[in-house]
Amino acid sequence: MSMTAPEYLRHLIGLMDGESRTTFSIWRLPEPGGDPTKRGETFIQAAGSADKLAIEARVMTSDGTSHLFAVGRQEPHNGETTTVPISDKRMVRVFTNEIFTADEAAVIFMTFYLTDAVAQPYQLREIDVSVPQSEER
């Protein structure tokens, strides 16, 4: 039985358990037939477990450069944060409106796969990579 691309993405993201499988990423090759281990300018990645995922995306902005963003719902957050495991030794801290289930993440990933962007109704919060975003457990 073969799966459609959305079903396959949902299956892979659903395997994330927050312990042995904590991250999942997709990116375009910089050139057709290029080295699959080298990321292009844009990518999307999830960390955590299938019921508690943080999503980050590096997307092209209007100035023609790529920036890293946390993906979140349009709903306002109250400043409360939560931590999500990104490895057995590290966690990332995100706002509560930036936590997704595998079902939600699969839709965001499929849209990114098709368009190289994160679509409405989601918002992007730029991540300042000069400031540590993760913390030791």
Side-chain angles (χ1 to χ4, degrees):
M1 174 179 173
S2 63
M3 289 187 242
T4 64
E7 290 169 338
Y8 189 61
L9 281 171
R10 170 58 182 91
H11 170 74
L12 292 174
I13 294 167
L15 294 174
M16 296 174 66
D17 61 11
E19 293 177 14
S20 63
R21 294 182 175 144
T22 58
T23 58
F24 177 75
S25 305
I26 62 171
W27 61 89
R28 296 211 187 286
L29 295 177
E31 58 191 49
D35 181 350
T37 63
K38 293 186 179 176
R39 289 185 177 178
E41 291 276 335
T42 61
F43 64 86
I44 190 166
Q45 60 190 9
S49 61
D51 62 343
K52 185 179 179 184
L53 295 166
I55 301 174
E56 294 176 346
R58 179 173 294 283
V59 299
M60 297 302 286
T61 59
S62 59
D63 67 1
T65 61
S66 62
H67 295 265
L68 185 63
F69 296 92
V71 178
R73 288 182 203 76
Q74 290 288 343
E75 65 199 47
H77 63 81
N78 61 5
E80 188 177 318
T81 61
T82 188
T83 56
V84 175
I86 57 174
S87 74
D88 62 342
K89 294 181 181 175
R90 300 187 64 78
M91 301 184 103
V92 65
R93 184 173 295 282
V94 294
F95 292 106
T96 53
N97 68 325
E98 296 170 342
I99 296 294
F100 298 93
T101 65
D103 288 336
E104 294 168 310
V107 172
I108 296 166
F109 270 68
M110 189 64 203
T111 300
F112 186 88
Y113 170 76
L114 294 170
T115 66
D116 224 19
V118 176
Q120 294 295 330
Y122 302 102
Q123 64 185 12
L124 299 175
R125 175 179 58 85
E126 188 163 6
I127 298 171
D128 183 350
V129 293
S130 67
V131 176
Q133 294 295 312
S134 57
E135 58 187 36
E136 296 296 320
R137 271 192 191 178

